[in-house]
Short mmCIF file of all heavy atoms in Angstrom, two decimals:
data_model
loop_
_atom_site.label_atom_id
_atom_site.label_comp_id
_atom_site.label_asym_id
_atom_site.label_seq_id
_atom_site.Cartn_x
_atom_site.Cartn_y
_atom_site.Cartn_z
N ILE A 64 -8.91 8.24 0.79
CA ILE A 64 -9.37 8.40 -0.55
C ILE A 64 -10.44 7.36 -0.80
O ILE A 64 -10.15 6.14 -0.86
CB ILE A 64 -8.22 8.26 -1.60
CG1 ILE A 64 -6.99 9.07 -1.15
CG2 ILE A 64 -8.66 8.63 -2.99
CD1 ILE A 64 -7.16 10.53 -0.95
N SER A 65 -11.67 7.80 -1.10
CA SER A 65 -12.75 6.85 -1.39
C SER A 65 -12.86 6.68 -2.94
O SER A 65 -12.83 7.65 -3.67
CB SER A 65 -14.08 7.41 -0.89
OG SER A 65 -14.06 7.60 0.48
N LEU A 66 -12.94 5.39 -3.33
CA LEU A 66 -13.02 5.03 -4.75
C LEU A 66 -14.27 4.29 -5.01
O LEU A 66 -14.87 3.66 -4.12
CB LEU A 66 -11.81 4.19 -5.14
CG LEU A 66 -10.42 4.76 -5.00
CD1 LEU A 66 -9.38 3.71 -5.20
CD2 LEU A 66 -10.22 5.90 -5.97
N ASP A 67 -14.72 4.31 -6.27
CA ASP A 67 -15.85 3.48 -6.66
C ASP A 67 -15.48 2.11 -7.15
O ASP A 67 -16.31 1.22 -7.30
CB ASP A 67 -16.74 4.19 -7.71
CG ASP A 67 -16.02 4.42 -9.03
OD1 ASP A 67 -14.80 4.17 -9.11
OD2 ASP A 67 -16.71 4.90 -9.96
N SER A 68 -14.18 1.88 -7.46
CA SER A 68 -13.70 0.57 -7.85
C SER A 68 -12.18 0.51 -7.60
O SER A 68 -11.56 1.50 -7.40
CB SER A 68 -14.03 0.21 -9.32
OG SER A 68 -13.43 1.14 -10.18
N ARG A 69 -11.61 -0.69 -7.75
CA ARG A 69 -10.21 -0.90 -7.50
C ARG A 69 -9.36 -0.36 -8.69
O ARG A 69 -9.83 -0.22 -9.80
CB ARG A 69 -9.90 -2.38 -7.30
CG ARG A 69 -10.52 -2.96 -6.10
CD ARG A 69 -10.23 -4.43 -6.05
NE ARG A 69 -10.91 -5.04 -4.90
CZ ARG A 69 -10.33 -5.17 -3.68
NH1 ARG A 69 -9.09 -4.77 -3.53
NH2 ARG A 69 -10.98 -5.66 -2.69
N MET A 70 -8.09 -0.12 -8.38
CA MET A 70 -7.10 0.27 -9.37
C MET A 70 -5.93 -0.75 -9.31
O MET A 70 -5.84 -1.51 -8.36
CB MET A 70 -6.57 1.71 -9.10
CG MET A 70 -7.56 2.81 -9.24
SD MET A 70 -6.82 4.42 -9.22
CE MET A 70 -6.74 4.77 -7.48
N TYR A 75 -2.41 3.67 -7.99
CA TYR A 75 -2.48 4.29 -6.67
C TYR A 75 -1.28 5.26 -6.50
O TYR A 75 -1.45 6.35 -5.97
CB TYR A 75 -2.46 3.28 -5.57
CG TYR A 75 -3.64 2.31 -5.56
CD1 TYR A 75 -3.51 0.98 -5.87
CD2 TYR A 75 -4.90 2.82 -5.22
CE1 TYR A 75 -4.62 0.15 -5.83
CE2 TYR A 75 -6.01 2.02 -5.20
CZ TYR A 75 -5.87 0.66 -5.51
OH TYR A 75 -6.93 -0.18 -5.49
N HIS A 106 -4.73 6.30 2.45
CA HIS A 106 -5.55 5.10 2.67
C HIS A 106 -6.59 5.13 1.54
O HIS A 106 -7.47 6.02 1.55
CB HIS A 106 -6.22 5.09 4.03
CG HIS A 106 -5.27 5.07 5.17
ND1 HIS A 106 -4.80 3.89 5.71
CD2 HIS A 106 -4.70 6.08 5.88
CE1 HIS A 106 -3.99 4.20 6.70
NE2 HIS A 106 -3.91 5.50 6.83
N PHE A 107 -6.57 4.21 0.62
CA PHE A 107 -7.60 4.10 -0.40
C PHE A 107 -8.64 3.10 0.04
O PHE A 107 -8.32 1.98 0.39
CB PHE A 107 -6.96 3.63 -1.73
CG PHE A 107 -6.11 4.69 -2.42
CD1 PHE A 107 -4.77 4.84 -2.09
CD2 PHE A 107 -6.64 5.59 -3.34
CE1 PHE A 107 -3.97 5.81 -2.66
CE2 PHE A 107 -5.88 6.56 -3.94
CZ PHE A 107 -4.55 6.65 -3.61
N VAL A 108 -9.90 3.53 0.04
CA VAL A 108 -10.97 2.70 0.52
C VAL A 108 -12.00 2.51 -0.57
O VAL A 108 -12.19 3.36 -1.43
CB VAL A 108 -11.67 3.25 1.79
CG1 VAL A 108 -10.67 3.36 2.93
CG2 VAL A 108 -12.29 4.60 1.56
N LEU A 109 -12.66 1.38 -0.53
CA LEU A 109 -13.71 1.05 -1.48
C LEU A 109 -15.06 1.14 -0.77
O LEU A 109 -15.27 0.44 0.22
CB LEU A 109 -13.47 -0.36 -2.02
CG LEU A 109 -14.40 -0.87 -3.14
CD1 LEU A 109 -14.22 0.02 -4.35
CD2 LEU A 109 -14.02 -2.29 -3.51
N ARG A 110 -15.89 2.05 -1.19
CA ARG A 110 -17.17 2.25 -0.56
C ARG A 110 -18.18 1.34 -1.30
O ARG A 110 -18.43 1.50 -2.46
CB ARG A 110 -17.65 3.67 -0.67
CG ARG A 110 -16.68 4.60 -0.06
CD ARG A 110 -17.27 5.16 1.17
NE ARG A 110 -16.32 6.15 1.76
CZ ARG A 110 -16.11 6.29 3.04
NH1 ARG A 110 -16.69 5.47 3.89
NH2 ARG A 110 -15.24 7.17 3.49
N GLU A 111 -18.71 0.38 -0.56
CA GLU A 111 -19.66 -0.56 -1.10
C GLU A 111 -20.97 -0.49 -0.34
O GLU A 111 -21.08 0.34 0.58
CB GLU A 111 -19.10 -1.99 -1.08
CG GLU A 111 -17.85 -2.15 -1.96
CD GLU A 111 -17.25 -3.54 -1.83
OE1 GLU A 111 -17.22 -4.05 -0.69
OE2 GLU A 111 -16.80 -4.10 -2.83
N ALA A 112 -21.87 -1.35 -0.61
CA ALA A 112 -23.14 -1.42 0.15
C ALA A 112 -22.92 -2.19 1.41
O ALA A 112 -23.61 -3.18 1.69
CB ALA A 112 -24.22 -2.07 -0.72
N ARG A 113 -21.97 -1.74 2.21
CA ARG A 113 -21.74 -2.40 3.53
C ARG A 113 -21.61 -1.28 4.56
O ARG A 113 -21.47 -0.12 4.22
CB ARG A 113 -20.51 -3.32 3.48
CG ARG A 113 -19.33 -2.71 2.73
CD ARG A 113 -18.02 -3.44 2.78
NE ARG A 113 -18.12 -4.86 2.52
CZ ARG A 113 -17.09 -5.66 2.89
NH1 ARG A 113 -16.05 -5.22 3.41
NH2 ARG A 113 -17.21 -6.92 2.63
N ARG A 115 -19.20 -0.59 6.79
CA ARG A 115 -17.88 0.07 6.84
C ARG A 115 -17.18 -0.03 5.51
O ARG A 115 -17.21 -1.03 4.85
CB ARG A 115 -17.00 -0.57 7.89
CG ARG A 115 -17.41 -0.25 9.31
CD ARG A 115 -16.31 -0.69 10.25
NE ARG A 115 -16.44 -0.06 11.53
CZ ARG A 115 -17.26 -0.56 12.55
NH1 ARG A 115 -17.99 -1.56 12.31
NH2 ARG A 115 -17.30 0.08 13.68
N PRO A 116 -16.45 1.05 5.13
CA PRO A 116 -15.66 0.90 3.88
C PRO A 116 -14.48 0.00 4.09
O PRO A 116 -14.04 -0.27 5.18
CB PRO A 116 -15.16 2.38 3.67
CG PRO A 116 -15.26 3.00 5.02
CD PRO A 116 -16.34 2.34 5.74
N ARG A 117 -14.01 -0.57 3.00
CA ARG A 117 -12.93 -1.54 3.05
C ARG A 117 -11.67 -0.90 2.46
O ARG A 117 -11.69 -0.41 1.33
CB ARG A 117 -13.35 -2.81 2.27
CG ARG A 117 -12.28 -3.87 2.30
CD ARG A 117 -12.76 -5.14 1.62
NE ARG A 117 -13.62 -4.81 0.49
CZ ARG A 117 -13.96 -5.69 -0.39
NH1 ARG A 117 -13.53 -6.93 -0.32
NH2 ARG A 117 -14.71 -5.36 -1.39
N ARG A 118 -10.56 -0.96 3.24
CA ARG A 118 -9.31 -0.40 2.70
C ARG A 118 -8.76 -1.37 1.66
O ARG A 118 -8.69 -2.53 1.85
CB ARG A 118 -8.29 -0.24 3.81
CG ARG A 118 -6.99 0.41 3.27
CD ARG A 118 -6.06 0.78 4.36
NE ARG A 118 -5.47 -0.46 4.91
CZ ARG A 118 -4.49 -0.44 5.81
NH1 ARG A 118 -4.05 0.67 6.27
NH2 ARG A 118 -4.03 -1.59 6.26
N ILE A 119 -8.37 -0.79 0.52
CA ILE A 119 -7.86 -1.64 -0.60
C ILE A 119 -6.38 -1.31 -0.88
O ILE A 119 -5.74 -2.13 -1.52
CB ILE A 119 -8.72 -1.50 -1.87
CG1 ILE A 119 -8.85 -0.05 -2.26
CG2 ILE A 119 -10.05 -2.14 -1.67
CD1 ILE A 119 -9.65 0.21 -3.53
N ALA A 120 -5.89 -0.21 -0.38
CA ALA A 120 -4.46 0.13 -0.59
C ALA A 120 -4.01 1.12 0.44
O ALA A 120 -4.80 1.93 0.94
CB ALA A 120 -4.25 0.67 -2.00
#
Side-chain angles (χ1 to χ4, degrees):
I64 313 301
S65 300
L66 299 171
D67 64 352
S68 63
R69 295 177 183 269
M70 294 190 273
Y75 295 113
H106 298 272
F107 288 87
V108 298
L109 186 61
R110 302 251 183 219
E111 296 174 321
R113 43 174 46 198
R115 287 193 164 83
R117 182 175 34 168
R118 183 173 71 173
I119 53 177

